[in-house]
Amino acid sequence: MRWLKGLILAIILLAVLLVGILFAVNNQQTVPLNLIWVELPAISLSVWLLAALVCGVVLGMLAMAGVWLRLRTALSRAQRLNRQQRKELDRLRVQELKELP
């Protein structure tokens, strides 16, 4: 079953790579980018679009970092409380067994 998952993943990655190559080949027009205060050099349209995608992914990851850290902290706090409660439960079970006649 594990090899099937790997095969499906390989097929998906190959398809994404193929689409990316087709995208780059079909968008060879050079386009200058004007960012109001600076004019960037003329580069292939596919490069500008892929750069915008990478910037969006990085900014999205940075935006989610705070939420992720908060959730990790809450998880570790809950796990620590869970361990303490299990120890207390085990101690009470042992105490109850000792009190039986």
Side-chain angles (χ1 to χ4, degrees):
M1 191 64 158
R2 190 175 185 133
W3 64 271
L4 182 61
K5 182 179 176 183
L7 180 67
I8 291 172
L9 181 63
I11 291 171
I12 291 172
L13 288 176
L14 188 62
V16 168
L17 182 66
L18 180 64
V19 169
I21 291 171
L22 288 173
F23 175 77
V25 167
N26 289 326
N27 291 297
Q28 290 297 318
Q29 303 89 352
T30 57
V31 177
L33 188 61
N34 186 353
L35 298 175
I36 299 173
W37 61 88
V38 66
E39 172 112 11
L40 297 175
I43 299 179
S44 169
L45 178 63
S46 61
V47 172
W48 284 127
L49 290 175
L50 290 175
L53 174 68
V54 168
C55 288
V57 168
V58 169
L59 288 174
M61 289 172 62
L62 288 174
M64 290 302 299
V67 173
W68 182 78
L69 287 173
R70 189 176 71 236
L71 289 174
R72 286 291 292 174
T73 304
L75 177 64
S76 64
R77 189 177 306 129
Q79 287 174 339
R80 187 172 40 249
L81 180 62
N82 189 10
R83 281 193 304 270
Q84 290 172 352
Q85 289 177 345
R86 285 184 186 272
K87 285 180 184 178
E88 179 70 15
L89 183 60
D90 290 341
R91 188 184 62 77
L92 290 173
R93 284 180 179 159
V94 169
Q95 182 180 0
E96 181 182 301
L97 288 176
K98 288 180 180 177
E99 292 177 357
L100 286 177

